[in-house]
Amino acid sequence: MVVYIYASLLGFLYVFLSFRVIFRRKKLRVALGDNNNIDIQRAIRAHGNFAEYVPFTLLLIYLVETAYQSLLLAHGLGLALFIGRSLHALSISRQPEPLILRQIGMALTFSVILTSSGLLLANAL
């Protein structure tokens, strides 16, 4: 299944984002919370935003892949999600933030969610 590839790649990215939070906390000696430190805040939000969007979107891609049996479609959705989440995490983690990368990342993520949801609804009707 194609979704396994993207779930794996996104899993690696999730661990990377987790370690960024851990290393920033260790460097600044902040065990809990963010101590009003913008670098920790950005790392926490990059990690949290990833965790908020990726599981549900991967589920949608999995459902599309099983419903349509299209490798090309599944690869397109998975690649768009991976690129979108990577750009978003890269952008939100930097200061000053390259806002265009964040916007592209969110646009790609929302495109995958909307496309998948539309395809699944069309398949169900």
Side-chain angles (χ1 to χ4, degrees), residues 33-101:
D34 58 34
N35 203 29
N36 289 322
N37 181 285
I38 191 69
D39 288 335
I40 293 177
Q41 290 171 356
R42 286 185 172 279
I44 289 170
R45 281 315 307 146
H47 177 260
N49 193 278
F50 187 96
E52 293 161 5
Y53 281 96
V54 169
F56 179 68
T57 311
L58 277 174
L59 174 62
L60 289 173
I61 294 170
Y62 170 77
L63 294 171
V64 167
E65 183 177 3
T66 57
Y68 284 87
Q69 298 294 311
S70 169
L71 295 178
L72 185 60
L73 178 58
H75 273 297
L77 293 169
L79 187 59
L81 178 61
F82 181 75
I83 291 170
R85 293 290 81 205
S86 297
L87 289 175
H88 185 272
L90 173 69
S91 174
I92 200 172
S93 298
R94 296 215 170 146
Q95 194 178 0
E97 180 180 334
L99 187 58
I100 188 68
L101 296 181

